[in-house]
Amino acid sequence: MQTQIPLTRDLVLIGGGHTHALVLLKWGMRPLPGTRVTVINPAPTAPYSGMLPGHIAGHYTRDELEIDLIRLARFAGARVILGRAVGLDPEARTVTLQDGRVIAYDVASLDIGITSELPQIPGFAEHAIGAKPLDIYAETWADYLEAARQTGHAEPVAVIGGGVAGVELAMAMAHALIKATGKADVTLLEANAEILSADPKPRSQLRKALEVCGVTIRNNATISEITQEGPRLSTGDIIPAGLTIGVAGALPQSWLERTGLTLTEGFVNVNKSLQVSGYDTLFAAGDCAHLTHAPRPKAGVYAVRAAPVLFDNLRAKLVGLPLRAFHPQKDYLKLISLGQKSALAEKWGRIWQGPWLWRLKNRIDQKFMNMFNNLPQMPHADLPPVLTLGVAQELGDGQPICGGCGSKVGAGTLSGALETLPQSQRADVVTGRGDDAAVLKIGEHFQVITTDHLKSFTEDPALMAQITAVHALGDIWSMGAQPQAVLATVILPRMSQSLQARTMAEIMGAASQVFAQTGAEIVGGHSTQGTEMTIGFTITGLADRPITHAGARVGDVLILTRAIGTGVLLAAEMQGKANGRHVAKMLAAMAQPQDRAAEILKDSNAMTDVTGFGLAGHLQAICRSSDVGAELVLDQIPVYEGAVEMSEVGVKSTIYDSNLMHSPVENAAGSKAKLLHDPQTAGGLLAAVPSEKADEILSQLQELGLPAAIIGRIIDGPPILRCV
């Protein structure tokens, strides 16, 4: 019998920089059993800086320069925590995130990059942005350029900093603006007497290239403040600018100063093994690190070259083996984009220029990104040569069992078992079998009791706990009750006591926040160990008038509070096919409580939460209990971004076929129609409301920022669903 290997150490990668991305790639190909890997990053993607000028110039799309950390982490077997690190205690071995969450580690590594923000300049935070972090700059530039295309006119652009990065981005923006509007007004501001003061060799060639692009150079430009009109120089002159970008050198993240780590000009000191000075369980790499044994300028080439050494040393530290040294090269080929598809190269003091260098740079960049876009297919354990009858058919195409509601048994399995049980004769049991929860009449009040659990579909225990809490609360909300008390049931995979304590603290802390926000309280629970993490909650609630499935009336309008598509997106994410941004956006929505929406819908005639049986299955439950039919307007049903695209390529959840069989919908065809049977986790509330109140209710829901929509109506006839 194969023994499950327990998790005993936490490896935390702080930041999704180039070095860490390569470490994750290597980890997926050579995992270390017993280690739980976590990557912390503010966004679900990490932009590749080498392609940023090309993106700004319009040569690459945003997707083409971004490393999908969600997909990469799935490949590596790691969890992703989306948050910005703002603190680190190397003695306690903890990382603090901006939202207050604290993550413990046994071994950790920093790769948080640098910033181009200039907080020392008055008005910078209000009227300018840094070129790094790249995601903020790229989004701002995309909006700016789109406005220029729409109007045919763009306000002037000011670039602060005449180093290589400032020169590249000034030419890239000028090129894009000329292409969009036919002209560009870009000014490059340099405090020194000449641009490229740190690397003067290609200065004359780059000055000519700037002139060709129409970029104005202002040397000796000391900035006293950034105003709404543009940067004000020490001379009093204002450089007109509708967009001001800071690219004045590589600045460290300011929060590192509060960590107690040994720093050089704000950068973390590391030794030849990439260990942080004074702390053998903490490593650092990339632009945030200062190589004390071999100081080098901030350049992506060193981050890439450090990755194999960091990977080996992290593994060595986790298994107790000696570490090896990182010896960076002394010089490297510098390739500088010139706005158009041309580039300049410099090495050993020699200069080359031309379109052929752009092609070379493009090949190098594309080769780097292809490592993450085309992740290798790792071999799976072969099945035994002899199997019991039916095993092959049950395995089907080999798709792994989905998490969340996609992992549950089919629609008919539980209902079929319940039908064999004797009917309750208790007068205080109000609801019959098949409703969302049990309703008990206690004196003049009604108590609602529900229980639900989810198999993990994300490696982040806190996020999983939040979503499970919202999911379990759905039955309470959909029956018009106020949540009261909660019992938790947690199954953890086999792990050491220290990891158990860390994981349980994350789960209970995150769940408690959700329940407290909605007026409920965790009062107890049970825990055990199993093959995979599973979280469940049993919840009680009080209702003056329970809302059941049975109250829908002909003419009622159907309102849905949340998009559908979680099942297909979660299945696609497990298969490495989903877009990380789409997954992250969906998970964030799933973790949001729906108590305020439930309050608005408290006068509904019938209501349910859309979960495992899909939108069609849960709507049919209302129709059967109310003895009515329903019409759906497919185009009006909100869906999560990326869900239709995944449906189009054939991705589906493991219980999709069962849902389709038990809740068919007439006149439903196409990829979006398939999502009617997609099992939902923490899905929206589906309510049948009086038609005269529908518009007002919808307006109130949309004022909360919800994607609520009127998706159909209740009609006379048998409990049949159809699209119109």
Side-chain angles (χ1 to χ4, degrees):
M1 183 178 71
Q2 186 175 4
T3 302
Q4 182 183 7
I5 298 175
L7 299 171
T8 61
R9 295 292 185 273
D10 270 319
L11 168 62
V12 177
L13 305 178
I14 308 164
H18 303 352
T19 311
H20 280 176
L22 288 166
V23 166
L24 285 170
L25 180 64
K26 289 178 175 292
W27 199 278
M29 293 184 280
R30 286 179 56 205
L32 180 60
T35 300
R36 177 169 63 178
V37 182
T38 300
V39 57
I40 299 170
N41 198 63
T45 60
Y48 171 48
S49 57
M51 296 173 73
L52 177 65
H55 169 63
I56 297 301
H59 308 317
Y60 303 118
T61 66
R62 178 76 179 270
D63 287 342
E64 287 178 299
L65 84 150
E66 292 195 322
I67 299 169
D68 191 328
L69 291 178
I70 302 292
R71 185 166 174 260
L72 181 59
R74 172 66 70 176
F75 172 76
R79 64 170 173 163
V80 177
I81 296 177
L82 296 181
R84 188 178 298 277
V86 296
L88 186 147
D89 186 337
E91 301 290 346
R93 298 184 187 178
T94 58
V95 183
T96 301
L97 307 188
Q98 197 167 37
D99 62 2
R101 185 175 174 185
V102 177
I103 307 298
Y105 67 84
D106 296 293
V107 177
S109 178
L110 280 162
D111 185 14
I112 57 173
I114 55 178
T115 179
S116 298
E117 296 175 353
L118 302 168
Q120 73 275 17
I121 300 179
F124 187 91
E126 294 80 10
H127 306 299
I129 61 169
K132 291 189 177 182
L134 303 184
D135 53 347
I136 298 173
Y137 170 42
E139 290 171 7
T140 303
W141 174 248
D143 293 340
Y144 192 83
L145 192 60
E146 180 58 29
R149 289 194 187 99
Q150 295 290 336
T151 63
H153 170 75
E155 295 296 321
V157 176
V159 179
I160 304 172
V164 170
V167 168
E168 272 194 302
L169 292 178
M171 288 189 285
M173 288 188 286
H175 174 76
L177 288 171
I178 291 171
K179 189 175 180 180
T181 66
K183 59 181 180 179
D185 186 352
V186 178
T187 302
L188 181 64
L189 304 173
E190 171 55 45
N192 293 306
E194 281 286 358
I195 62 170
L196 274 70
S197 57
D199 190 10
K201 298 181 186 70
R203 179 184 294 155
S204 61
Q205 289 89 339
L206 288 177
R207 286 188 69 94
K208 292 177 182 177
L210 287 163
E211 292 175 6
V212 170
C213 290
V215 176
T216 300
I217 302 173
R218 290 287 297 264
N219 293 314
N220 297 312
T222 303
I223 299 171
S224 60
E225 66 173 325
I226 309 293
T227 71
Q228 189 172 3
E229 291 75 30
R232 186 192 302 276
L233 305 184
S234 57
T235 59
D237 296 339
I238 290 181
I239 306 300
L243 178 64
T244 300
I245 307 296
V247 202
L251 303 177
Q253 302 282 353
S254 61
W255 65 267
L256 292 173
E257 298 175 358
R258 303 187 296 272
T259 61
L261 301 177
T262 304
L263 309 177
T264 296
E265 297 181 350
F267 300 100
V268 180
N269 286 354
V270 299
N271 61 23
K272 62 183 180 181
S273 301
L274 300 177
Q275 289 170 296
V276 174
S277 298
Y279 298 98
D280 63 355
T281 61
L282 182 62
F283 295 73
D287 288 346
C288 72
H290 172 69
L291 302 173
T292 57
H293 67 295
R296 293 291 186 272
K298 304 304 177 186
V301 64
Y302 298 120
V304 172
R305 295 289 178 87
V309 177
L310 180 62
F311 172 74
D312 289 345
N313 287 351
L314 291 173
R315 288 175 60 94
K317 190 64 185 176
L318 289 161
V319 300
L321 295 176
L323 279 60
R324 69 187 184 100
F326 173 52
H327 299 291
Q329 71 270 39
K330 293 184 178 180
D331 197 6
Y332 64 96
L333 177 66
K334 303 176 185 69
L335 288 166
I336 303 171
S337 300
L338 302 178
Q340 301 180 31
K341 289 186 177 181
S342 183
L344 177 146
E346 185 267 319
K347 190 176 183 182
W348 303 308
R350 299 182 63 185
I351 308 292
W352 302 270
Q353 184 175 337
W356 67 277
L357 284 167
W358 165 266
R359 294 191 291 271
L360 173 63
K361 184 180 188 305
N362 181 59
R363 282 198 300 271
I364 294 171
D365 292 338
Q366 295 289 2
K367 181 180 178 180
F368 180 81
M369 289 302 297
N370 283 339
M371 290 191 294
F372 304 102
N373 294 331
N374 303 312
L375 295 172
Q377 294 293 320
M378 303 308 293
H380 297 285
D382 293 332
L383 292 172
V386 180
L387 296 170
T388 302
L389 291 173
V391 171
Q393 291 86 339
E394 189 64 29
L395 288 174
D397 59 6
Q399 177 181 337
I401 296 176
C402 295
C405 281
S407 70
K408 295 190 175 182
V409 297
T413 305
L414 178 59
S415 60
L418 289 173
E419 288 174 0
T420 66
L421 301 178
Q423 290 290 331
S424 173
Q425 302 301 312
R426 296 181 60 95
D428 55 353
V429 178
V430 177
T431 56
R433 295 190 189 97
D435 222 314
D436 288 337
V439 179
L440 308 180
K441 193 172 191 306
I442 303 175
E444 298 300 317
H445 300 284
F446 295 92
Q447 184 160 57
V448 179
I449 304 174
T450 186
T451 187
D452 216 327
H453 69 274
L454 295 175
K455 167 190 165 183
S456 178
F457 49 77
T458 173
E459 298 297 327
D460 182 357
L463 179 59
M464 191 67 217
Q466 289 177 308
I467 292 173
T468 306
V470 171
H471 179 81
L473 281 164
D475 289 340
I476 299 293
W477 290 323
S478 68
M479 301 194 82
Q482 292 294 321
Q484 298 171 286
V486 183
L487 294 172
T489 303
V490 180
I491 302 174
L492 295 179
R494 191 176 180 187
M495 56 179 62
S496 65
Q497 287 191 355
S498 61
L499 263 68
Q500 286 180 24
R502 292 173 186 173
T503 305
M504 192 64 76
E506 289 189 49
I507 290 172
M508 300 308 290
S512 179
Q513 288 182 349
V514 173
F515 288 121
Q517 179 181 335
T518 59
E521 181 180 355
I522 299 178
V523 297
H526 299 276
S527 63
T528 187
Q529 293 188 70
T531 57
E532 55 192 343
M533 186 171 68
T534 302
I535 303 174
F537 298 105
T538 299
I539 310 173
T540 65
L542 283 180
D544 296 328
R545 181 188 72 88
I547 304 172
T548 68
H549 290 169
R553 302 170 185 170
V554 174
D556 280 353
V557 169
L558 295 169
I559 292 180
L560 179 64
T561 64
R562 187 167 281 185
I564 62 173
T566 66
V568 70
L569 280 175
L570 290 175
E573 194 272 328
M574 288 184 67
Q575 298 171 38
K577 297 177 180 178
N579 180 297
R581 284 189 177 276
H582 297 164
V583 173
K585 187 176 181 180
M586 176 193 68
L587 293 175
M590 293 165 67
Q592 295 301 311
Q594 300 192 85
D595 51 325
R596 296 174 67 187
E599 176 64 22
I600 293 171
L601 292 167
K602 64 183 179 180
D603 294 327
S604 300
N605 291 330
M607 185 155 56
T608 184
D609 62 329
V610 180
T611 53
F613 300 154
L615 176 59
H618 287 279
L619 176 55
Q620 191 171 71
I622 288 178
C623 291
R624 285 173 177 166
S625 297
S626 304
D627 196 23
V628 294
E631 290 181 341
L632 291 169
V633 183
L634 190 62
D635 290 344
Q636 294 180 2
I637 299 174
V639 298
Y640 285 109
E641 190 175 359
V644 174
E645 290 82 351
M646 290 297 97
S647 179
E648 285 176 348
V649 297
V651 176
K652 61 183 179 180
S653 183
T654 46
I655 65 166
Y656 167 84
D657 291 332
S658 175
N659 284 352
L660 174 63
M661 180 177 65
H662 285 88
S663 304
V665 180
E666 296 179 355
N667 302 325
S671 299
K672 184 174 181 179
K674 293 179 181 178
L675 299 181
L676 297 175
H677 309 287
D678 187 54
Q680 302 304 290
T681 303
L685 301 175
L686 175 64
V689 304
S691 58
E692 65 273 14
K693 297 181 179 180
D695 289 340
E696 179 185 354
I697 290 173
L698 181 64
S699 177
Q700 293 178 32
L701 292 169
Q702 291 178 341
E703 286 176 4
L704 297 178
L706 299 175
I710 292 174
I711 65 167
R713 64 190 182 98
I714 298 297
I715 61 174
D716 193 13
I720 295 175
L721 311 182
R722 67 169 179 261
C723 285
V724 293

